[in-house]
Amino acid sequence: MQHSKTQDTLVGLFVATGIAALFYMALQVSNLGTYSSNDSYTVTARFQNSGGLKVKSPVSVAGVRIGRVSSITLDKASHEAVVQMRIESQYDNLPEDSGASIYTAGLLGEQYISIDPGASDDYLKDKSQIDITSSAIVLEEMIGKFMMNKAEGK
Amino acid sequence: MLEFLESLGKITRHSFAKLGRATFFLLHALTGMREILPRPNLLIKQLYSIGVLSFLIITISGLFVGMVLGLQGFNILSDFGAEESLGVMVAASLVRELGPVVSALLFAGRAGSALTAEIGLMKATEQLSGMEMMAVDPINRIISPRFLAGFLSMPLLAALFSAIGVMGGHLVGVGMLGVDDGAFWAQMQANIDFREDIVNGIIKSVVFGFVVSWIALFEGYDAIPTSEGVSRATTRTVVNSAFSVLGLDFILTALMFGDI
């Protein structure tokens, strides 16, 4: 095989398209393009039941995603789920008395935390805690209650 | 009975001997990499014949695989009224599995078999011994550049395969079946993670590139120097590469996504 300038050019083109494909996947296909700056602050909330919440589940206000769940641990003393969320620092004006609830997107969708803003003039800061929480709704529990009510109603 | 045991022992001994030769061969080829630095043309030539010439088969296969995924995925997802998830399905299956695996299999068939035949024929026509006579190390001069070229080409080819496949899925899903364009991309971006999915896919293709190049070059170098020997070695390259790629894919998937 004769070595030639065309070969150099073709190899260069090949490597360039390969790298372009990698960039295309990083930016267009994955969530890398939607990452904002890493500036964020951490807020915790305690739930009786965290249901199917997972690390990286979205945290939203009024349906707009403002952060993600960063860790879920169990408090050994109170047997409550301690959920840490990282909230983007551009949303630094959430009132201190905001409430956090775990909802499900659609009937079978993934679970997310929705924050309902309160009315306080003090804002949530790094490492502060949301006190008003409502747990995940477990479908079996609801069906169980419904059955009990039916049975008692008769 | 005794004969059976004897042949069993022989086969075991031969396979271990072969594995040992393959390992020494790999070490020799890896240490030979430093010889490439002063002669980059050797590498460019191999990148051309391994990478550039595989470009067409990879892109066309990627396009069709993506289009089929779009079509099949649409049929399944429309039963659940979840056509909008088509983007996620196409992208996840391509980036995680089909991109690295199918391009590695195509690479073994297109480039691996060619490498084995080339090296095997060089051995059969005593070109390798000729080089040794001239005090040129044939592994450093012939094997190392090909090894590096295969190792470098594979991730690029797999990335191309996945990217073109996603475009093919988009073409069929959005262009022909009427899935919403915004939902297609938005769902894909929301559910495909850069670290978890794309980087893991690249790691897979790097491993496959390494293994396929190793098998192809070793089988060629270890071939019996006759026309029949070379033809057998070429067959073994394709078969062994396919086995190794699929087996390793299971192990890598279990490590990456399986929580085992």
Side-chain angles (χ1 to χ4, degrees):
Chain A
M1 203 194 310
Q2 204 62 46
H3 181 74
S4 65
K5 277 271 181 287
T6 357
Q7 224 170 65
D8 289 355
T9 321
L10 285 172
V11 170
L13 267 176
F14 165 67
V15 174
T17 28
I19 291 170
L22 283 176
F23 268 98
Y24 172 80
M25 297 218 295
L27 296 177
Q28 180 77 355
V29 176
S30 83
N31 55 359
L32 200 68
T34 56
Y35 271 141
S36 50
S37 58
N38 276 335
D39 285 347
S40 59
Y41 61 101
T42 314
V43 170
T44 54
R46 288 160 173 275
F47 293 94
Q48 291 288 332
N49 186 344
S50 66
L53 202 68
K54 291 187 204 76
V55 172
K56 279 193 182 165
S57 293
V59 177
S60 64
V61 173
V64 181
R65 193 177 68 73
I66 60 164
R68 288 186 184 280
V69 172
S70 58
S71 83
I72 304 171
T73 48
L74 181 71
D75 184 349
K76 272 187 175 169
S78 62
H79 299 294
E80 280 176 328
V82 181
V83 176
Q84 276 196 349
M85 348 173 201
R86 298 182 72 82
I87 294 173
E88 290 170 27
S89 44
Q90 53 170 317
Y91 306 106
D92 57 355
N93 58 346
L94 295 172
E96 210 178 32
D97 57 347
S98 300
S101 350
I102 300 177
Y103 290 132
T104 309
L107 193 59
L108 300 167
E110 63 168 350
Q111 298 204 298
Y112 66 99
I113 293 183
S114 173
I115 295 182
D116 312 309
S120 168
D121 287 334
D122 294 326
Y123 298 133
L124 286 171
K125 291 184 292 290
D126 193 32
K127 296 195 178 69
S128 52
Q129 182 169 336
I130 297 176
D131 295 322
I132 310 163
T133 60
S134 63
S135 294
I137 295 162
V138 181
L139 207 59
E140 287 91 328
E141 237 170 56
M142 267 176 60
I143 294 171
K145 274 184 191 157
F146 176 73
M147 302 273 269
M148 287 292 277
N149 288 345
K150 270 280 188 199
E152 279 169 7
K154 265 194 178 168
Chain B
M1 187 63 198
L2 211 62
E3 264 173 37
F4 170 73
L5 279 179
E6 196 184 316
S7 64
L8 197 71
K10 208 171 173 185
I11 289 169
T12 319
R13 204 164 53 85
H14 276 282
S15 359
F16 276 114
K18 191 165 183 181
L19 188 64
R21 283 204 303 279
T23 312
F24 278 119
F25 174 82
L26 176 68
L27 291 177
H28 196 155
L30 288 178
T31 50
M33 295 277 176
R34 62 188 141 72
E35 297 258 322
I36 299 168
L37 224 54
R39 299 187 193 82
N41 278 344
L42 285 178
L43 178 65
I44 289 179
K45 208 184 257 181
Q46 293 313 319
L47 273 175
Y48 177 79
S49 65
I50 292 171
V52 177
L53 294 181
S54 306
F55 186 86
L56 206 62
I57 186 175
I58 292 284
T59 45
I60 291 176
S61 319
L63 185 69
F64 280 113
V65 168
M67 283 163 73
V68 168
L69 275 176
L71 215 53
Q72 292 280 19
F74 184 83
N75 281 337
I76 296 168
L77 291 171
S78 60
D79 287 348
F80 303 101
E83 295 93 339
E84 274 71 31
S85 302
L86 186 67
V88 192
M89 202 202 111
V90 170
S93 36
L94 275 170
V95 169
R96 284 185 186 180
E97 286 299 328
L98 292 175
V101 173
V102 176
S103 52
L105 293 177
L106 290 172
F107 181 76
R110 165 67 187 77
S113 57
L115 283 176
T116 308
E118 191 188 6
I119 309 280
L121 214 65
M122 278 186 179
K123 193 180 179 189
T125 52
E126 296 184 340
Q127 293 182 45
L128 297 183
S129 324
M131 283 193 155
E132 268 173 36
M133 290 295 287
M134 293 187 289
V136 174
D137 189 330
I139 291 191
N140 290 359
R141 193 57 184 265
I142 299 289
I143 306 289
S144 294
R146 285 168 174 74
F147 191 79
L148 189 61
F151 183 62
L152 290 178
S153 305
M154 191 64 243
L156 297 177
L157 291 171
L160 264 168
F161 186 96
S162 302
I164 302 266
V166 169
M167 290 177 197
H170 181 261
L171 188 75
V172 169
V174 176
M176 289 159 65
L177 298 168
V179 174
D180 182 57
D181 190 34
F184 185 89
W185 292 117
Q187 289 248 1
M188 190 190 297
Q189 285 167 2
N191 288 293
I192 303 290
D193 188 64
F194 179 72
R195 170 66 196 83
E196 288 275 304
D197 294 318
I198 297 196
V199 172
N200 277 349
I202 295 171
I203 293 174
K204 273 187 182 180
S205 62
V206 168
V207 173
F208 296 161
F210 186 88
V211 170
V212 171
S213 314
W214 181 19
I215 292 178
L217 291 168
F218 177 70
E219 288 292 356
Y221 191 75
D222 204 47
I224 302 160
T226 58
S227 43
E228 199 195 350
V230 173
S231 100
R232 272 204 210 150
T234 313
T235 312
R236 272 203 306 273
T237 294
V238 177
V239 173
N240 290 351
S241 301
F243 277 149
S244 326
V245 164
L246 296 171
L248 275 172
D249 183 47
F250 173 75
I251 295 170
L252 288 173
T253 308
L255 286 175
M256 288 166 175
F257 304 105
D259 291 332
I260 292 179

